[in-house]
Amino acid sequence: MKLRLIATMAAGAAAATLCSAAFGQANPQNSGYVLFGYGQPNANIWRSGSYGGTPGVNDTLCWRTGYWTPAMAIVECDPDLVAKPAAPPPPAPAVTPPPPPPPPAPPPAPTVQKITLATKALFDFDKAVLKPEGRAAIDREVISRLKDVSKLELVLVTGHTDRIGSQAYNQKLSERRADAVRDYLVSKGVAKDKIETLGMGKTQPVPGVVCNQAYPKERKALIECLAPNRRVEVEVKGEGVKR
């Protein structure tokens, strides 16, 4: 411990004089030390003087009173007796935020099923009235598949004809056949606003069907050969189609 000078009340008349002057302006925080009777209360502690005009260790020593106790120590005079302030807690470690959750998976793309129904099963030649076997074919090929679609978006019904007759006539015939299939689907519980109909007339023959029979001489044979072109196609578009 550094050297400290202690002044007691019994140190003689000179010390008594110092003490009497000290209590004139005693700072309560400095009450264990001999004080000047003047000066600022925060800097009025009696200290040892400088020697040779050069401040040294001696001029930093505070004079203590006879009733000084370690509990009265102040940091300006007895820094080794004053409890050091607690060190600030270390900074909290930086918390790395968790990575953002992955984006939700995109919904599955709507699945499209294309079902081709032969007009021969649906209608008589040059007719647009569904036959009993045609209704059975729709039940089997279309209605049964619609039950596996969790979210139906569209049912597109497209009618086609062969090349016999004019385009204007066949256009109307293909539209009537598509409408007949639509009406039957509605009767089986399919929402009408989910169904669209389209007639293509004779503009989209089936590729690979070649019929060279003369008309009208070989009309019956030509009608039989062109049967694949007389068809109705049903396209079902929706989500969650089960396989």
Side-chain angles (χ1 to χ4, degrees), residues 138-139 141-147 184-185 188 190:
I138 295 174
D139 291 341
E141 300 295 332
V142 180
I143 298 299
S144 63
R145 299 188 187 187
L146 289 177
K147 294 177 181 178
Y184 183 73
L185 292 174
K188 302 296 287 189
V190 181

Side-chain angles (χ1 to χ4, degrees), residues 115 142 146 152-160 174-186 190-200 232-237:
I115 306 163
V142 180
L146 289 177
L152 181 64
E153 293 188 6
L154 175 68
V155 178
L156 176 61
V157 182
T158 305
H160 299 268
S174 65
E175 292 174 1
R176 293 200 308 270
R177 286 176 170 173
D179 290 344
V181 173
R182 176 203 60 199
D183 294 342
Y184 183 73
L185 292 174
V186 172
V190 181
K192 188 174 183 178
D193 61 351
K194 298 291 185 181
I195 305 174
E196 293 185 11
T197 60
L198 183 64
M200 299 303 298
V232 173
E233 294 173 344
V234 179
E235 294 183 53
V236 178
K237 183 179 181 181

Side-chain angles (χ1 to χ4, degrees), residues 7 13 26 34-35 39 49 75-76 108 123 133 138 147 156 168 172-173 182 184 187 200-201 213:
V34 178
L35 308 177
V75 69
E76 292 85 351
F123 311 98
E133 54 266 39
I138 295 174
K147 294 177 181 178
L156 176 61
K172 294 295 184 181
L173 178 60
R182 176 203 60 199
Y184 183 73
S187 72
M200 299 303 298
Q213 293 84 353

Side-chain angles (χ1 to χ4, degrees), residues 10-241:
T17 301
L18 294 174
C19 291
S20 63
F23 296 124
Q25 270 190 342
N27 185 335
Q29 296 181 346
N30 306 338
S31 58
Y33 300 89
V34 178
L35 308 177
F36 288 108
Y38 55 86
Q40 297 299 322
N42 62 350
N44 62 349
I45 299 174
W46 191 283
R47 299 173 182 268
S48 60
S50 302
Y51 296 93
T54 302
V57 175
N58 291 336
D59 67 327
T60 65
L61 300 179
C62 301
W63 287 77
R64 299 172 179 166
T65 65
Y67 54 86
W68 179 92
T69 64
M72 298 177 180
I74 62 175
V75 69
E76 292 85 351
C77 296
D78 295 286
D80 50 345
L81 298 180
V82 178
K84 302 296 187 295
V95 178
T96 303
T111 302
V112 177
Q113 293 188 12
K114 186 174 182 179
I115 306 163
T116 300
L117 303 173
T119 302
K120 184 177 181 180
L122 298 175
F123 311 98
D124 288 327
F125 175 73
D126 198 24
K127 302 294 183 183
V129 179
L130 276 173
K131 301 195 302 184
E133 54 266 39
R135 291 192 291 268
I138 295 174
D139 291 341
R140 181 176 63 254
E141 300 295 332
V142 180
I143 298 299
S144 63
R145 299 188 187 187
L146 289 177
K147 294 177 181 178
D148 294 332
V149 179
S150 62
K151 184 180 178 181
L152 181 64
E153 293 188 6
L154 175 68
V155 178
L156 176 61
V157 182
T158 305
H160 299 268
T161 69
D162 59 30
R163 68 171 187 254
I164 300 174
S166 68
Q167 170 57 23
Y169 179 85
N170 282 306
Q171 178 64 35
K172 294 295 184 181
L173 178 60
S174 65
E175 292 174 1
R176 293 200 308 270
R177 286 176 170 173
D179 290 344
V181 173
R182 176 203 60 199
D183 294 342
Y184 183 73
L185 292 174
V186 172
S187 72
K188 302 296 287 189
V190 181
K192 188 174 183 178
D193 61 351
K194 298 291 185 181
I195 305 174
E196 293 185 11
T197 60
L198 183 64
M200 299 303 298
K202 61 179 181 178
T203 60
Q204 294 184 356
V206 175
V209 176
V210 179
C211 300
N212 296 320
Q213 293 84 353
Y215 184 86
K217 183 178 180 180
E218 300 177 275
R219 180 175 181 274
K220 184 176 180 180
L222 181 60
I223 291 174
E224 185 67 25
C225 180
L226 294 174
N229 292 331
R230 299 187 296 271
R231 66 199 188 278
V232 173
E233 294 173 344
V234 179
E235 294 183 53
V236 178
K237 183 179 181 181
E239 294 181 5
V241 176

